[in-house]
Amino acid sequence: MPASAIFKFKSIGPISHAEMELGDLTVIAGRNNTGKTCLVYTLYGLLHLWRGWPSASVLLDDEKRMRTGSPDFSNAAAALSRTGHFSTQLVWPSLVDERKILVNKLAQDFSKHALPGVFRSRSENFPNSSIEVVLRDEGFVSGQSSTRALGSSFELRISDGRLDMSANPAPPEADELQRIVSDLYAWALLGGEFDEPFILSAERFGISLFFQELDFSRGSSVLA
């Protein structure tokens, strides 16, 4: 699978500037104390935490939503609550622009508010640290189909420039419904570049760093 995003790192540990593209399998190798773990920590934090970050309706302010032509999340929530369905036509070049706005907002918010926490450190230790994501246009082309589901209740589909949402059964009126709709929309726009990461560390400190993710008992309790 060709990479459709470039991740740029700045002032993180010993790393002054670095760029990375992810494939189906990405191997990071190098000498000790050169910043490999810093890159992995930062990238893992962004890819793992972004779904819990502020929703698309917050990150895409009204001015930018009007300019890019994204769907009205309040109308979508009302239609889903009333009939269980919502559909609207999307302008594909605007959709590509909206992806870039959304990913820039996510990366900026992560760099400012979450990055120190990933390292269990204080914000003053990361005064100029950041991660930037540059999306390639070919990663999201006209006519592609993108589907995101939340449990068995909500499904969103973007295909041939059209957005379709469904809820089964139709949900009641709720304050959370608009947030759910906007989050599903963001997941559909960015899911290809922001898949849940899996880390397999071969270096001597890696097991202790990521033991919670690699812990067999934790995984077996979920599968049981």
Side-chain angles (χ1 to χ4, degrees):
M1 178 185 71
S4 55
I6 301 173
F7 297 88
K8 297 184 177 183
F9 306 83
K10 178 184 176 183
S11 301
I12 301 175
I15 301 293
S16 175
H17 292 87
E19 293 187 6
M20 184 187 304
E21 298 184 32
L22 298 182
D24 292 333
L25 174 65
T26 303
V27 178
I28 302 175
R31 293 174 298 174
N32 291 338
N33 303 315
T34 54
K36 301 187 301 296
T37 299
C38 291
L39 293 182
V40 173
Y41 254 56
T42 303
L43 189 58
Y44 179 84
L46 177 65
L47 297 180
H48 183 66
L49 295 175
W50 80 274
R51 287 177 178 82
W53 220 237
S55 65
S57 59
V58 174
L59 293 174
L60 293 170
D61 58 51
D62 291 338
E63 178 186 353
K64 288 174 180 172
R65 288 200 354 235
M66 289 174 62
R67 187 167 70 245
T68 58
S70 65
D72 187 314
F73 298 123
S74 60
N75 286 346
L80 285 171
S81 179
R82 207 170 46 247
T83 67
H85 298 280
F86 174 77
S87 296
T88 188
Q89 197 69 32
L90 299 171
V91 180
W92 209 266
S94 296
L95 214 60
V96 173
D97 290 340
E98 189 168 52
R99 272 169 35 97
K100 293 177 181 178
I101 293 172
L102 181 58
V103 78
N104 285 337
K105 282 276 195 175
L106 281 166
Q108 290 170 10
D109 279 16
F110 172 82
S111 300
K112 182 177 180 179
H113 300 292
L115 183 56
V118 170
F119 289 87
R120 299 293 190 269
S121 185
R122 298 188 300 271
S123 58
E124 53 264 34
N125 293 329
F126 297 83
N128 302 307
S129 302
S130 67
I131 181 171
E132 178 187 355
V133 185
V134 179
L135 298 179
R136 300 181 187 275
D137 289 345
E138 60 265 28
F140 198 65
V141 296
S142 180
Q144 104 168 24
S145 176
S146 178
T147 302
R148 287 291 176 270
L150 183 64
S152 58
S153 300
F154 297 92
E155 184 173 337
L156 178 149
R157 181 180 178 85
I158 297 175
S159 182
D160 297 323
R162 187 167 187 82
L163 169 69
D164 294 287
M165 296 184 185
S166 62
N168 186 22
E173 288 284 353
D175 293 338
E176 284 292 290
L177 185 54
Q178 183 172 331
R179 181 192 62 78
I180 291 172
V181 167
S182 62
D183 284 350
L184 279 175
Y185 181 68
W187 295 356
L189 289 184
L190 299 181
E193 286 73 43
F194 281 70
D195 287 333
E196 183 73 18
F198 175 78
I199 295 174
L200 182 61
S201 178
E203 52 93 9
R204 63 187 183 278
F205 298 120
I207 297 301
S208 61
L209 291 174
F210 296 106
F211 74 96
Q212 289 183 327
E213 301 305 320
L214 300 173
D215 181 69
F216 177 80
S217 61
R218 181 184 180 210
S220 62
S221 64
V222 175
L223 296 174

